[in-house]
Amino acid sequence: MAQIKPSYDIKRTNLRDVIPLSGPFGMYVEPTRCCNLKCFYCMHSTRDDANGEFAKTGFSIAHLDMALWDKIVDGVMCFPEQPKRITFSGLGEPLMNPNLGEMARRLRKAGFSGRNDIITNAVALTPKLADELIDSGINRIQISVQGLTSGRYREIAGTPVDMERYINHIRYLYEHRKSTEVFIKIIDANLQNQSERETFFEKFGSICDAIYVEHLVVMEKQMGDHGGKADRSLNMNGEPFAYREVCGVMYYFLQVNIDGDTFPCSTPGLPGSFSMGNLHTQDLSEIWNGNKRGELLRANLLSGYRTFAPCAECSSVVCITDPAEWLDDCREEMLTRFQEG
């Protein structure tokens, strides 16, 4: 039976002891903006609506260009210290990109020795793809289950799923995983009662290394609170959210989307106007050490993250409320460090 534990690492470095950093601890790279589901809590649920949230972004639906991926890899390897983890995740479903395995291989070939993970709904998973991902050097595959029956998938994600096939393909991944860890989770909003919670553990607990039920945290002004299911008083582990002024995530994280825009956190679908720089005109190190990012970090310490429009109802900072990221009580000291830098 799998361990019941959260998806994120609990052994975390105290930010105040190490920032400013010479490079990111963690990175999200969006391999595609295509998705095979339309989950009710995601803006993809509106992608066929001309006036929906997805259309308002002006985003194109495409895969990450491999030339841009090569530039990302080069940039990663130029940091004084490699990121501890690079995760394939974004507004789309990573397995929709047919080059995903090749992307992972190129990262390893360049010498990357940290963790390389995937966050996926696994609907497109097949035994062949499972073998490719395992052999490409992926360390961890995190699977987000959306429902326990085909009917529930239709209700929640707009697409019926052959559950027997789905579970069998995940089982194949688990049984052939070698050193790749398989983590499976579902959000509490997708479980109707305690009986379904127990069924979730019964169905998936024997075909993964770790498993968890997470609390739904979304950007409510963008997607609503879904009838109270998205309660922002709790983090994704269902623990009380500790209010904070300063976002710690900005100091150790970097996201790159398919357009080459870069952002200081993992929240998908952020507007291009919030980008710290674009990789079509800059290198990763230039962006990481650039004035725009520096101004953002200092303003975060001075005024708090809620003063930035895209961050006002941030979901990332609510998801993880680890004490190691608490900076509210050392703002002046941190500000001095960043001003001197």
Side-chain angles (χ1 to χ4, degrees):
M1 183 67 182
Q3 285 185 285
I4 300 176
K5 65 177 186 178
S7 62
Y8 66 80
D9 297 325
I10 57 174
K11 294 181 179 179
R12 304 176 80 81
T13 302
N14 282 316
L15 276 182
R16 66 182 66 204
D17 296 334
V18 295
I19 57 176
L21 299 170
S22 61
F25 277 168
M27 289 181 62
Y28 270 18
V29 178
E30 182 179 59
T32 184
R33 205 169 276 148
C34 303
C35 192
N36 48 3
L37 299 181
K38 299 174 68 177
C39 299
F40 72 87
Y41 53 84
C42 173
M43 69 169 68
H44 263 290
S45 65
T46 71
R47 67 172 178 257
D48 296 326
D49 181 355
N51 298 311
E53 290 299 325
F54 196 100
K56 292 176 184 177
T57 67
F59 287 152
S60 60
I61 297 180
H63 300 317
L64 180 72
D65 181 78
M66 288 300 282
L68 183 57
W69 171 242
D70 288 339
K71 185 171 184 179
I72 293 171
V73 171
D74 289 343
V76 164
M77 300 310 298
C78 285
F79 283 126
E81 292 186 40
Q82 293 183 13
K84 298 179 184 295
R85 181 176 67 160
I86 295 176
T87 302
F88 292 124
S89 179
L91 194 54
E93 162 51 44
L95 301 192
M96 298 287 286
N97 187 330
N99 293 317
L100 191 63
E102 176 61 19
M103 291 170 68
R105 280 190 291 272
R106 291 188 188 185
L107 183 62
R108 292 300 182 195
K109 187 176 180 180
F112 181 70
S113 58
R115 280 177 52 184
N116 187 197
D117 298 355
I118 301 171
I119 298 177
T120 173
N121 60 41
V123 171
L125 185 68
T126 63
K128 180 180 179 180
L129 181 54
D131 289 338
E132 181 182 12
L133 296 176
I134 291 166
D135 292 340
S136 69
I138 295 294
N139 295 97
R140 186 172 186 261
I141 298 177
Q142 175 174 316
I143 297 172
S144 299
V145 174
Q146 304 302 328
L148 302 182
T149 65
S150 180
R152 285 292 284 158
Y153 258 90
R154 184 186 293 277
E155 292 174 26
I156 292 166
T159 304
V161 169
D162 183 332
M163 292 304 294
E164 182 178 2
R165 179 179 182 272
Y166 181 65
I167 291 173
N168 284 339
H169 287 176
I170 295 175
R171 180 178 290 108
Y172 180 92
L173 169 69
Y174 178 68
E175 292 176 349
H176 296 79
R177 69 193 185 284
K178 298 179 182 177
S179 61
T180 301
E181 180 186 358
V182 178
F183 175 88
I184 296 179
K185 65 97 169 178
I186 193 169
I187 55 174
D188 51 8
N190 290 350
L191 297 173
Q192 296 177 304
N193 48 48
Q194 180 62 27
S195 177
E196 282 202 350
R197 184 186 180 96
E198 293 170 0
T199 299
F200 167 67
F201 285 107
E202 290 170 3
K203 281 180 176 285
F204 295 96
S206 63
I207 54 173
C208 61
D209 297 291
I211 191 168
Y212 206 73
V213 176
E214 292 181 350
H215 178 62
L216 174 61
V217 181
V218 297
M219 299 178 75
E220 290 180 15
K221 288 183 181 178
Q222 182 187 77
M223 296 304 299
D225 70 353
H226 306 295
K229 293 179 180 179
D231 177 7
R232 292 172 61 84
S233 67
L234 303 175
N235 68 14
M236 72 179 186
N237 290 337
E239 303 161 338
F241 170 56
Y243 178 86
R244 58 191 61 194
E245 290 285 343
V246 179
C247 171
V249 179
M250 292 186 185
Y251 298 92
Y252 67 85
F253 206 89
L254 185 64
Q255 177 195 164
V256 184
N257 71 12
I258 66 166
D259 301 312
D261 282 320
T262 58
F263 304 95
C265 71
S266 61
T267 301
L270 289 168
S273 59
F274 192 54
S275 174
M276 300 183 298
N278 190 283
L279 286 177
H280 287 291
T281 57
Q282 294 177 277
D283 295 326
L284 274 181
S285 59
E286 290 177 317
I287 294 170
W288 183 261
N289 297 305
N291 290 333
K292 192 165 185 178
R293 179 173 178 270
E295 291 172 1
L296 180 71
L297 300 185
R298 288 188 288 272
N300 183 26
L301 290 166
L302 279 168
S303 306
Y305 74 87
R306 287 177 177 81
T307 57
F308 311 123
C311 304
E313 50 155 343
C314 176
S315 56
S316 291
V317 75
V318 177
C319 284
I320 301 175
T321 52
D322 194 283
E325 298 183 11
W326 181 261
L327 299 175
D328 282 19
D329 61 349
C330 60
R331 295 164 76 168
E332 290 186 9
E333 178 189 348
M334 298 299 107
L335 188 60
T336 298
R337 289 189 200 176
F338 281 92
Q339 287 173 334
E340 291 175 349

